[in-house]
Amino acid sequence: MTQAVGAWGRLVRLPESGPGRYHLRTHVHDGKYSTIESLMMVLAALRLDDTAAQLRLQFELHVYAGLRTRGAKVKADEFLAASPLREAFPELLEQMHQRRPRDD
């Protein structure tokens, strides 16, 4: 993104908060984040902690559901192990894990 917007003005560096968690695509380099992860860092830097926390839950749910939908069950389980989703949405996760008959 730096190459695309570098000429727009002064660049700033957001405080990084660990490795990226957008596991729906492969990261080309360490220290690269999705746009939504960058937005969460901006919110945290502005001390909008409640908003950042709510956005993180929605982000984590999106990634987890995407991994399960793609059939990446092991990767989804690994993702969930380091996620606040189990505490925040236990009933929803239980519903997601129920096996449903196919409509063929």
Side-chain angles (χ1 to χ4, degrees), residues 1-2 6 8 20-21 23 29 37 43-44 48-49 52 54 59 71-72 80 89-90 92 102:
M1 189 172 210
T2 301
W8 293 1
R21 294 203 29 90
H23 294 277
H29 305 294
E37 289 172 301
L43 292 171
L48 297 170
D49 298 328
Q54 291 174 9
F59 166 76
L80 187 60
F89 301 120
L92 178 61
R102 293 175 63 167

Side-chain angles (χ1 to χ4, degrees), residues 2-48:
T2 301
Q3 293 172 353
V5 300
W8 293 1
R10 189 176 134 242
L11 298 176
V12 297
R13 187 177 237 347
L14 295 170
E16 295 178 1
S17 59
R21 294 203 29 90
Y22 191 67
H23 294 277
L24 299 179
R25 70 170 184 230
T26 57
H27 295 293
V28 177
H29 305 294
D30 288 340
K32 301 294 182 186
Y33 300 93
S34 66
T35 303
I36 195 79
E37 289 172 301
S38 296
L39 179 57
M40 288 186 289
M41 290 178 211
V42 168
L43 292 171
L46 295 174
R47 296 190 175 144
L48 297 170

Side-chain angles (χ1 to χ4, degrees), residues 64 68 73 90-102:
Y64 179 68
R68 287 189 54 91
K73 188 172 184 323
E91 297 87 12
L92 178 61
L93 291 175
E94 181 61 35
Q95 289 176 4
M96 289 175 71
H97 296 160
Q98 289 178 6
R99 196 156 179 85
R100 292 172 180 79
R102 293 175 63 167

Side-chain angles (χ1 to χ4, degrees), residues 52-92:
Q54 291 174 9
L55 185 57
R56 179 175 182 210
L57 288 174
Q58 293 302 315
F59 166 76
E60 296 269 330
L61 187 58
H62 168 75
V63 174
Y64 179 68
L67 290 170
R68 287 189 54 91
T69 300
R70 294 176 183 189
K73 188 172 184 323
V74 172
K75 196 169 185 178
D77 289 344
E78 291 170 356
F79 180 85
L80 187 60
S83 176
L85 290 177
R86 283 195 273 187
E87 186 175 318
F89 301 120
E91 297 87 12
L92 178 61

